[in-house]
Amino acid sequence: MRKQVQKGRCTRLKLQKCPQVCALYDKVQLAYARQLDAEENVVSFEVNVQLNDNTGALNDLGLADTYTTDFLLTLADGTQAVREAVYRQHLSRPSVAALLESSKRYWASKGISDWGIIIDREEVTL
């Protein structure tokens, strides 16, 4: 979950299963988008999906219309799923935890229960 207006590096690429040009803002998003494009279970996906809400629930969460979800997937069985990309080192931040919880509640209110977090690979030193 990110702010709608991003400042900083952006990788743009066209993938087969994504209808628009993907704007990816970090390595976790980039790696996962490529993985989704190769997965047989995924029919299509969207990136940076704006959280729209006419009921005011987003305002209750303190988000208004300024945030986007990283990935909205359409699976082969017709269901939808949501994935948020986060760096492992950011998981312990209270603000990140609050945003992730808000995202989960938002998508649950839209009827999507398959919600998950994608994190970067843990570095192992020997």
Side-chain angles (χ1 to χ4, degrees):
M1 189 166 179
R2 346 183 149 262
K3 284 203 178 232
Q4 183 176 351
V5 178
Q6 285 289 309
K7 297 177 183 175
R9 173 169 271 158
C10 175
T11 302
R12 296 182 189 274
L13 66 133
K14 182 69 176 132
L15 296 171
Q16 199 170 24
K17 293 184 180 179
C18 187
Q20 73 271 15
V21 174
C22 296
L24 306 164
Y25 296 101
D26 59 41
K27 292 178 182 179
V28 178
Q29 273 192 326
L30 179 60
Y32 192 62
R34 287 183 172 151
Q35 179 181 338
L36 288 174
D37 204 46
E39 279 193 31
E40 293 178 17
N41 189 35
V42 176
V43 174
S44 66
F45 67 93
E46 296 176 55
V47 296
N48 305 313
V49 179
Q50 184 175 353
L51 303 181
N52 293 321
D53 188 27
N54 297 331
T55 65
L58 284 176
N59 289 333
D60 294 343
L61 299 173
L63 299 179
D65 285 332
T66 60
Y67 284 89
T68 62
T69 284
D70 293 323
F71 296 96
L72 177 61
L73 320 174
T74 301
L75 304 176
D77 63 2
T79 61
Q80 289 188 308
V82 172
R83 299 293 181 263
E84 300 289 2
V86 181
Y87 280 105
R88 183 179 303 276
Q89 65 192 22
H90 297 168
L91 285 174
S92 61
R93 294 181 182 173
S95 61
V96 172
L99 285 174
L100 292 172
E101 181 59 31
S102 297
S103 170
K104 185 175 182 178
R105 284 190 279 155
Y106 172 81
W107 289 108
S109 74
K110 299 293 184 187
I112 298 176
S113 60
D114 187 353
W115 183 94
I117 301 171
I118 307 304
I119 56 175
D120 56 322
R121 188 177 306 168
E122 187 173 14
E123 296 293 324
V124 179
T125 55
L126 300 176

